[in-house]
Amino acid sequence: MTAATPPNAPAVLILRHGQTLWNRAGRYQGQNDSPLTPKGIGQLCALAETLKHRLGRQSDWRLVSSPLPRTRQSMALFCEQLGWDYDDVAFDARLKECAYGRWEGLNVAEIERRFPEDYAARQRDHWGYANPAGGESFAQVFERVSTFVAELDPARPVVAMSHGGSGRVLRGILLGLGPDEMFVEPADQSHAFLIAMGRSETIPADPAALARFGVSVYGRMP
């Protein structure tokens, strides 16, 4: 399956929440949660500082976020650094991360040991497999994120705070990518991704800004 690029989509600046405790430990989060680390806080502040002059006025953008705590915290940090009003952020459940069911909170070694059949099935079908214990397939994520994109106002650019998986799907829909192509895309937590007119621009946080906020390296997480 390949998504057609939405013909009337606005410009969308896609952000990923900053590093969390479970990111650092290599644990699946899904729709469960863990708080941002100091590095994760610094990543969002540095990105906001990098983008400040490029974004202009808050009124030029619609602000939307996944409602999970780590994305709420990340959007609050981003807005605070820009001097924007966090109360103007809309929260949309369609931007939530893929649900991983009973895998959430576990690392890969623990999943392979406790649920080997689940893990093997997901390896065979990364797109279509849903964990039977409350999990969700990426095909299902694609359907819900597609409805979010279809409702965007073509005349109103968007800042969207999302996740590693659902953010890749959002970018893939906006770019007309197929499933395999979507998951080749990076999801660095120190980068923003601007999608406009079917083209993607990756905007890394300025290294000097990262250093000012105590982050010494870019944060690429799976």
Side-chain angles (χ1 to χ4, degrees):
M1 177 180 62
T2 300
T5 304
N8 297 313
V12 182
L13 181 74
I14 301 172
L15 305 171
R16 183 182 176 189
H17 63 81
Q19 184 196 65
T20 67
L21 291 174
W22 280 4
N23 285 152
R24 190 170 65 188
R27 298 187 179 279
Y28 278 77
Q29 293 187 115
Q31 294 183 11
N32 210 317
D33 213 77
S34 67
L36 299 189
T37 63
K39 178 176 180 176
I41 292 169
Q43 288 168 332
L44 267 298
C45 292
L47 263 177
E49 187 69 24
T50 301
L51 292 164
K52 182 179 291 185
H53 298 297
R54 185 156 182 173
L55 292 176
R57 300 172 302 174
Q58 177 181 346
S59 59
D60 293 334
W61 298 84
R62 179 185 173 218
L63 309 181
V64 63
S65 173
S66 158
L68 295 176
R70 62 189 181 272
T71 39
R72 286 179 177 269
Q73 184 184 6
S74 295
M75 185 60 106
L77 289 163
F78 189 77
C79 287
E80 182 175 0
Q81 191 63 32
L82 289 170
W84 287 5
D85 190 348
Y86 177 71
D87 289 340
D88 290 339
V89 178
F91 296 97
D92 196 311
R94 292 172 294 185
L95 293 179
K96 282 184 179 181
E97 182 58 292
C98 182
Y100 292 108
R102 60 190 176 189
W103 292 12
E104 293 182 6
L106 304 179
N107 62 34
V108 171
E110 291 166 338
I111 294 165
E112 286 188 279
R113 184 176 67 252
R114 293 174 58 179
F115 308 112
E117 292 182 2
D118 288 359
Y119 186 77
R122 185 60 177 263
Q123 293 298 101
R124 289 192 300 270
D125 186 6
H126 183 262
W127 184 254
Y129 178 76
N131 188 308
E136 183 180 27
S137 71
F138 275 107
Q140 291 171 308
V141 175
F142 176 89
E143 293 302 322
R144 61 172 160 86
V145 176
S146 292
T147 65
F148 167 78
V149 172
E151 293 175 9
L152 295 177
D153 179 352
R156 188 86 189 276
V158 175
V159 174
M161 182 70 70
S162 190
H163 301 267
S166 61
R168 283 184 172 103
V169 172
L170 174 57
R171 288 156 60 196
I173 291 168
L174 291 166
L175 293 170
L177 302 180
D180 291 340
E181 296 172 296
M182 292 182 194
F183 287 91
V184 171
E185 294 291 306
D188 301 57
Q189 288 165 303
S190 300
H191 291 60
F193 306 93
L194 179 63
I195 315 296
M197 300 179 67
R199 299 190 179 194
S200 178
E201 179 186 359
T202 300
I203 307 169
D206 179 74
L210 286 167
R212 280 198 300 277
F213 290 102
V215 181
S216 59
V217 296
Y218 288 117
R220 174 171 291 178
M221 301 299 301

